[in-house]
Structures are given as C-alpha cells and as structure tokens.
C-alpha cells in the first residue's frame, strides 16, 4: 500500500533572523509543507539526542507555495526553543506535518478580525496574509509587552497591512491590552463577520467574553503540551462543550483551532 | 516494507510479519498514523486500553517531558467497548496487520466481561490485559501487585477468552517474577513488560504538581535499562514468550530486549519522535542478521543468557 502523504521532512534552513527580542524567524525550504493552511502546525525536533525527547509544536507562520518555502516564528521560552534558536542557515531541521485543522472561513467575503497576543500572532499573520492576497477585508489587532518584543511595523507593511497595536508600556500604539482595542472595536456599529484569536489564556478568556457579548462568531487557536501531534496519544486533550456535555478533544487533531462557543473558557 | 521471512514469527498464535508491536496507548486504535505510515510496517498493533464504559480521562496537563523520558497521565480515556464494537471494529481490517485489544477493568468481573465480548470478535487477534496502569485510581495497578490476585484474574479471563492471552506486567509489583509466575499459572500465553513507571514532576513556579492527575507513568529511553532488567528476570522465571518494551527507539535497543529473552518487542514513545520507527528498526534488524550471517532473528532470543 502506498502512503498518500509524507509525514517526515528534513528541511534546509535558508535564513534565520531575530525579528523581535527572543523571536526567531526561520525560513525553510519545504516544498511539501508549503501547501499548509493557516492555523496548521509542524512538530519539530530541537536537537538530535533523546534529551529533549519530544518534538515541539510550532505554527506555520507563512507559506509561499510557489517558492516551496515556509516560515516559522519561534519565541524562546524554554530549553527546546533555546536550542532551536542556536541553529544556523545551512543546517537541516527535522519536521513532521503539516498537522491540525486551521482557521475556517478564511475565504468568506465578510470582514474578518484577527486578535493576536504576543507570539500568538505567528499563525494569525499567515491567515491575514492570505486574505490580503485574496483582496478580502480584515483588521488585525496585535498586543504585546513592549515595542521591542514585537516585530517592527515594516514586517507587517511588507505584507500589505498595518496592525492596530497595543503595548503594556505604551511604546507602540495604545497603552494597554489587545482586548481593550477589541472592546473598542466591537462597540462600533459595523461589526466584523468573524473573529480569529490566538494568544495567552487571560487574553483568550477576555476575547471569548467580548465576542459572546457582541454575538460575533469566534475561532480560537489553543495550546497544549503534545507528544505525538497526530491524535494517537490523547496527551494534548482540552475540555470542550459537546451538546451540553464536557468532553476532551485533541488540540493536535481536532484543533488547534476550536469554535469559540465550544471551548471551556470564560463561562 | 517487504516481508522478510527472517523476521516473521508466530507468537503463541499471533501471526506476525516481524517482531515489532505498536505499544498500547501510543497508537490510538491504529488509524491516527494511517495517512502517513503503513500499518503493515508493524508485526501487530496494540490498541489503546479499553474499558466497559467510556472513560473521559484525566484533566490536563496530561504530559510532562523529563530527561529522555515522558510522563503521561491520560487516565485511560477511551470510548468504551460498545463504541469499539460499533464504530472501530468494522474498520480494523483496513490495517492489514494483527490487532491486539488492550483491556482494563476495576474488578475481575469487568475484565472477564470484556474478554468474553472480545472472544467473539474475529478482527482482534489477541487480548492484552493491563493489570498495571498507573493512571487510574481503582483497579489497574492494584491488580498487578499481588500474585494471588493476578492468578485469579488471569484465570477468570482465561475461562472466557480462547485466543492468545497476553498479561501486561508492571514493575510496581515488588516481585515481578512472582507476578509473572502467577500469570503463567493463571493461563496466560504471553507476558508483556514493562508498563510505565509511576513518577511525578513539580512545577516550581506554581509550586504544584505539573500533571493534572498529580502522578503519571514514565516511558521512553529513561526507563530502558530498568525494562531490560525486568525482561531478563522474568525470562528466567517463566517459560512463556515475552513481549519486551520500555524506551525502544532503535534496532540496537530492540536487540537488547531480544537478547535478554523477549520473543517480540513493543515500541511506544519512540513513535512520537520517529513515526517511521517500525520500518527503521526492521531494517536495522535485517542488517544485523546480514552481518551475523544468521537465518532467523529468533536465534537471538535470550542469547545473552548464556
Ligand atoms: C499548536 C501550537 C502552535 C504553536 N505555535 C508556536 C509558534 O508559532 N511559535 C512559538 O514560539 N511557539 C508556539 N507554540 C508554543 C511552543 O510549542 C512552546 O513554546 C514550546 O513547545 C516550548 O518548548 P521549550 O522546550 O522551549 O519549553 P519547555 O518549557 O522546556 O518545554 C517543556 C515541555 O512543555 C511543552 N510546552 C511548554 N510550553 C508550551 C506551550 N506554550 N505550548 C505547548 N507546549 C508547551 C514543550 O513542548 C515540552 O514538551 C505553539 C504551541 C502549540 C500547541
Ligand atoms: C501516552 C501513553 C499512553 C499509554 N496508554 C497505555 C494503555 O492504555 N494501556 C497500556 O497497557 N499501556 C499504556 N501505555 C504504556 C505503553 O504501552 C508502554 O508499556 C510504555 O510506554 C513503555 O514503552 P515505551 O517506553 O516504548 O513507550 C501508555 C504509554 C504512553 C506513553
Ligand atoms: S499530541 Fe498525541 S493526541 Fe495530541
């Protein structure tokens, strides 16, 4: 029996740069991954020994199908990501994927609103870039600690859009949280058709409240510790509401993007 | 991958293309890797542990990485035997390799009932009874510790299940050889070992146990030497064929278990790192046989015992 798809990819690292403090942008030659959809992720090894043992899930940050290239945006947050940050162009990275179900309805005409907290912008950037290319309307709200901890504005402008930004110290855009921008935006008369969000849990909790109150459909990309990445180990389970009951769903296979109504966040 | 007669075996009635088994709980019901990995790379696939009633499983986080290891506390999440019969059983033929049903219960009666049901399921080639899961409060490990209870449990299952019966042992039992002998007298055909070892990790920032279930089961390379030792000990205590497992990720690892006395080996955690691990281990075993000029891998079973 011939398997339909490749799961394992050794990808040449073409370029690597630190585009914000602790955020490393990887450009990889990956023709078979370049057809991935926004919201999908790859599962990558951070070294070649048994320690660290597990792969790390990282969103596809951008894919250029024509050039056969993908980008990953990795924030150093522990041992594995620190090891990754030490790799250099010319090396090969060991990736599995693409895995998971991405953001739905990205090709609909109604305006979309993306809400990104910190590194949560990695998959949303890809979704926004896709709508930009298709000439579909969207807005992008971005929140971060401080300007130095976010990619420069040109990074977004190169892809044809400018995010509405909030930083906790006011060094870029509004002083405050991304959700304050969202609240303001949802108070306006012309509401977006749909919200897609990714970011830290406190932000997502507030986004769920605001979207519910405004009656705008919401899709959230969730994080969870993973082992297999394909649905086999049940290690990445998160509780979701299914017909009034709470059941566990796999972030890697049933997500990482979940319906805002189903997730057990907020009330 | 091509079938190599030098790797084929009949494991107490389970007809396997090669001695590699996908370890229970690490391969779902066999379908999750299907788009990418040919299930016929495996000699057999052990399914996720099943119970009579559906089980929701433990609250997250369910995983913690440890040095060369993985701590899991899934809590036997499974859809229950009725769902299995209705929705999973009809598809098992697609896998094209023998399937081992892994069962767990909270009482002897539950194990017996599950085994009696599976006795009538032709798609299942063997039953593995998990008397050693560290992640469920009742049943599981408590069954695995006391030889007399193990003998009674295995005997009860033996009376209702006619196919190859595997008993999965834990090292939590103080004397694993005694438990192995009890399983043998109870009527087991095969013993598999080891299940995960109970452990825990504490998050120093939150000052709380990291896992939702507090404790979990340790697997991966970290437990390999302990598992090899367990196979060595049990191989000396019983005459049943053994399935060795615990941290196997390469042909060399698999060979250690075989040389210690295992007739077959199971691979769990390594799938998460290398989805093509079965194929790669088979190739490695073939190379080893070539180098040693051997006709069949079974000549190596227990060969380190002198
Ligand atoms: C679907 C998905 C997409 C992601 N996309 C990105 C991305 O595009 N860019 C990015 O920088 N990060 C992303 N993350 C988070 C990233 O996986 C973690 O930051 C990373 O695993 C941390 O590894 P570490 O070794 O540096 O940290 P450690 O804390 O040393 O890791 C220890 C263990 O915990 C796991 N872990 C720790 N934090 C997380 C987390 N937040 N989410 C999941 N597992 C975690 C690790 O995988 C590892 O198994 C994503 C997570 C998920 C689930
Ligand atoms: C995520 C996970 C789930 C498991 N679930 C089960 C299970 O349901 N039943 C069982 O008998 N063993 C279960 N095990 C134990 C494995 O089958 C195996 O005994 C153990 O992981 C050691 O092998 P390894 O180091 O190759 O993973 C599980 C292991 C892991 C890592
Ligand atoms: S990581 Fe294994 S099921 Fe999701």
């Amino acid at each position: 029996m011939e398997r339909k798809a490749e799961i394992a990819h050794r990808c040449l690292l073409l370029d690597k740069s630190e585009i914000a403090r602790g955020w490393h942008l990887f450009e990889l030659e990956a023709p078979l991954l370049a057809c991935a959809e926004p919201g999908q992720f790859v599962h990558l090894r951070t070294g070649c020994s048994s320690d660290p043992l597990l792969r790390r899930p990282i969103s596809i940050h951008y894919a250029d199908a024509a050039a056969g290239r993908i980008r990953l945006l990795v924030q150093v947050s522990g041992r594995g990501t620190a090891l990754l940050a030490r790799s250099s162009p010319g090396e090969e990275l060991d990736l599995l994927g693409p895995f998971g179900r991405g953001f739905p309805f990205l090709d609909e005409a109604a305006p979309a609103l993306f809400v990104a907290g910190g590194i949560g912008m990695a998959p949303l950037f890809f979704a926004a870039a896709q709508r930009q290319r298709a000439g579909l309307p969207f807005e992008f709200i971005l929140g971060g600690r401080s300007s130095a901890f976010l990619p420069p504005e040109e990074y977004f402008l190169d892809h044809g859009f400018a995010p509405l930004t909030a930083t906790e110290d006011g060094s870029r855009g509004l002083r405050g949280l991304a959700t304050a921008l969202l609240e303001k935006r949802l108070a306006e008369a012309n509401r977006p058709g749909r919200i897609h969000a990714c970011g830290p849990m406190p932000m997502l909790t507030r986004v769920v409240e605001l979207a519910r109150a405004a009656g705008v459909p919401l899709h959230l990309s969730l994080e969870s510790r993973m082992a297999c990445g394909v649905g086999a180990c049940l290690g990445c389970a998160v509780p979701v509401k299914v017909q009034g009951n709470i059941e566990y769903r796999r972030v890697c296979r049933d997500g990482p993007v979940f319906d805002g109504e189903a997730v057990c966040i907020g009330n | 991958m091509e079938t190599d007669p030098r790797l084929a075996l009949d494991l107490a009635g389970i007809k396997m293309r090669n001695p590699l088994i996908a370890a229970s709980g690490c391969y779902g019901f066999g379908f999750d890797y299907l788009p990418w990995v040919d299930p016929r790379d495996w000699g057999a696939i052990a399914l996720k542990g099943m119970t009579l009633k559906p089980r929701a499983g433990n609250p997250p986080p369910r995983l913690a990485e440890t040095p060369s290891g993985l701590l899991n506390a899934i809590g036997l999440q499974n859809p229950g035997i009725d769902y299995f019969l209705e929705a999973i059983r009809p598809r098992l033929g697609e896998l094209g390799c023998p399937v081992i049903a892994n069962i767990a219960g909270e009482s002897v009666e539950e194990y017996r009932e599950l085994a009696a049901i599976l006795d009538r399921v032709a798609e299942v080639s063997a039953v593995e009874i998990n008397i050693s899961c560290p992640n469920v409060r009742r049943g599981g490990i408590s069954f695995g510790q006391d030889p007399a209870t193990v003998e009674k449990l295995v005997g009860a299952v033996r009376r209702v299940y006619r196919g190859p019966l595997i008993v999965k042992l834990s090292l939590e039992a103080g004397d694993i050889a005694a438990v192995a002998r009890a399983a043998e007298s109870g009527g087991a055909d095969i013993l598999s070992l080891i299940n995960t070892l109970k452990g825990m990790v504490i998050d120093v920032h939150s000052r709380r146990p990291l896992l939702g279930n507090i404790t979990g089961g340790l697997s991966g390379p970290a437990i390999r030497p302990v598992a090899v030792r367990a196979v060595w000990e049990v191989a000396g205590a019983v005459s049943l064929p053994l399935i060795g497992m615990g941290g196997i990720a390469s042909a060399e690892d698999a060979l250690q278990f075989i040389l210690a006395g295992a007739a077959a080996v199971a691979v769990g955690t390594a799938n998460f790192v290398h989805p093509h691990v079965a194929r790669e281990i088979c190739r490695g075993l073939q190379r080893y046989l070539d180098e040693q000029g051997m006709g069949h891998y079974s000549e190596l079973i227990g060969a380190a015992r002198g």
Side-chain angles (χ1 to χ4, degrees):
Chain A
M1 198 193 319
E2 276 297 307
R3 292 292 112 200
K4 287 185 289 286
E6 287 294 325
I7 187 171
H9 309 268
R10 295 202 67 87
C11 300
L12 182 66
L13 179 55
L14 299 165
D15 195 22
K16 203 194 86 186
S17 52
E18 191 170 348
I19 62 166
R21 199 169 297 166
W23 290 22
H24 299 265
L25 179 68
F26 293 73
E27 172 117 20
L28 295 157
E29 193 170 271
L32 295 172
L33 292 168
C35 58
E37 288 161 23
Q40 287 193 299
F41 66 95
V42 294
H43 211 26
L44 85 162
R45 284 196 88 192
T46 61
C48 52
S49 80
S50 65
D51 186 27
L53 180 67
L54 299 174
R55 291 172 177 271
R56 300 312 193 237
I58 299 289
S59 305
I60 296 181
H61 172 55
Y62 189 74
D64 183 339
R69 292 178 178 188
I70 63 163
R71 281 189 217 156
L72 307 177
L73 189 54
V74 179
Q75 177 181 36
V76 173
S77 68
R79 203 155 144 247
T81 45
L83 277 168
L84 270 177
R86 266 187 251 148
S87 54
S88 29
E91 283 177 33
E92 277 186 338
L93 295 189
D94 178 347
L95 280 70
L96 302 182
F99 291 153
R101 305 208 303 200
F103 298 103
F105 306 110
L106 284 180
D107 54 1
E108 73 181 359
L113 175 55
F114 299 105
V115 184
I119 193 66
M121 71 78 104
L124 291 172
F125 179 92
F126 185 15
Q130 184 164 307
R131 279 185 75 86
Q132 177 71 22
R133 272 198 311 275
L136 295 165
F138 70 92
E139 291 160 272
F140 200 106
I141 290 176
L142 174 66
R145 229 158 74 189
S146 170
S147 188
F149 291 91
L150 290 173
E153 279 163 299
E154 301 80 70
Y155 187 74
F156 301 90
L157 292 173
D158 283 349
H159 286 83
F161 66 98
L164 260 171
T165 308
T167 48
E168 283 168 45
D169 64 359
S171 51
R172 194 190 305 175
L174 177 94
R175 179 194 205 103
L177 301 173
T179 46
L181 287 173
L182 175 65
E183 190 169 3
K184 244 176 70 198
R185 177 61 188 83
L186 291 179
E188 291 169 22
N190 63 330
R191 290 199 174 144
R194 197 176 293 284
I195 300 173
H196 300 275
C198 184
M201 210 29 102
M203 180 196 104
L204 294 184
T205 308
R206 185 75 184 126
V207 172
V208 167
E209 288 167 6
L210 292 169
R212 275 182 198 157
V216 180
L218 169 68
H219 307 278
L220 298 172
S221 184
L222 300 184
E223 287 190 349
S224 178
R225 287 159 180 268
M226 291 186 185
C228 70
V230 301
C233 75
L234 307 177
C236 62
V238 291
V240 300
K241 286 169 244 165
V242 186
Q243 289 154 1
N245 297 319
I246 304 291
E247 288 179 17
Y248 286 111
R249 287 286 179 273
R250 301 160 301 181
V251 170
C252 67
R253 190 93 182 204
D254 306 313
V257 179
F258 289 91
D259 196 285
E261 277 308 308
V263 296
C264 298
I265 297 178
N267 30 39
Chain B
M1 131 152 208
E2 300 289 298
T3 305
D4 182 340
R6 294 178 303 170
L7 296 180
L9 68 150
D10 181 325
L11 185 66
I14 316 173
K15 306 221 166 16
M16 293 164 54
R17 226 173 256 119
N18 62 54
L20 293 174
I21 300 170
S24 175
C26 302
Y27 226 72
F29 286 101
F31 301 103
D32 298 306
Y33 282 97
L34 213 49
W36 307 284
V37 183
D38 190 338
R40 293 176 308 179
D41 288 352
W42 295 101
I45 293 176
L47 309 182
K48 174 65 190 167
M50 267 189 291
T51 49
L52 270 181
K53 297 264 152 23
R55 280 183 63 101
N58 288 330
R62 291 177 172 186
L63 300 172
E65 192 185 50
T66 63
S68 299
L70 167 64
L71 209 51
N72 90 80
I74 311 300
L76 278 179
Q77 178 182 334
N78 81 94
I81 189 78
D82 291 340
Y83 181 89
F84 169 78
L85 294 174
E86 209 173 291
I88 298 168
R89 170 193 184 166
R91 293 188 58 203
L92 289 175
E94 285 171 42
L95 297 175
C97 87
V99 161
I100 299 168
N102 178 290
I103 59 170
E106 289 182 358
S107 63
V108 173
E109 183 48 34
E110 278 188 28
Y111 279 98
R112 204 191 56 83
E113 206 174 318
L114 282 162
I117 293 168
L118 291 165
D119 186 62
R120 299 187 297 272
V121 178
E123 294 84 347
V124 165
S125 300
V127 163
E128 179 174 53
I129 56 179
N130 177 6
I131 55 167
S132 54
C133 182
N135 296 326
V136 285
R137 284 193 216 300
R138 266 175 303 160
I141 216 147
S142 59
F143 278 108
Q145 284 166 352
D146 168 45
T149 317
V150 169
E151 186 171 342
K152 192 165 142 248
L153 171 65
V154 176
V157 170
R158 179 75 287 175
R159 280 190 285 283
V160 297
Y161 184 71
R162 290 166 293 177
L165 180 60
I166 309 168
V167 175
K168 187 159 181 178
L169 307 177
S170 148
L171 262 185
E172 304 293 335
D175 184 354
I176 195 173
V179 175
R181 279 190 293 267
E184 185 174 40
S185 356
D189 298 305
I190 305 164
L191 304 181
S192 62
L193 64 162
I194 59 173
N195 208 323
T196 53
L197 301 177
K198 197 165 170 172
M200 72 185 288
V201 169
I202 292 174
D203 181 338
V204 298
H205 301 291
S206 68
R207 299 182 198 155
R208 290 283 175 275
L210 194 149
L211 293 172
N213 186 53
I214 301 176
T215 62
L218 186 63
S219 65
I223 69 168
R224 191 191 308 135
V226 180
V228 172
R229 185 273 291 176
V231 168
W232 178 274
E233 239 174 78
V234 171
V238 298
S239 53
L240 299 176
L242 307 181
I243 300 170
M245 72 190 97
I248 296 175
S250 70
E252 189 176 326
D253 302 339
L255 281 164
Q256 287 198 49
F257 283 82
I258 293 168
L259 291 166
V265 293
V267 182
T269 304
N271 288 287
F272 309 153
V273 188
H274 300 294
H276 291 302
V277 64
R279 196 174 71 191
E280 279 155 29
I281 292 181
C282 280
R283 290 197 181 133
L285 292 178
Q286 288 172 321
R287 270 196 303 275
Y288 189 82
L289 295 178
D290 290 342
E291 282 160 20
Q292 306 293 318
M294 289 182 130
H296 198 269
Y297 91 92
S298 58
E299 295 165 46
L300 297 162
I301 299 172
R305 312 185 66 82

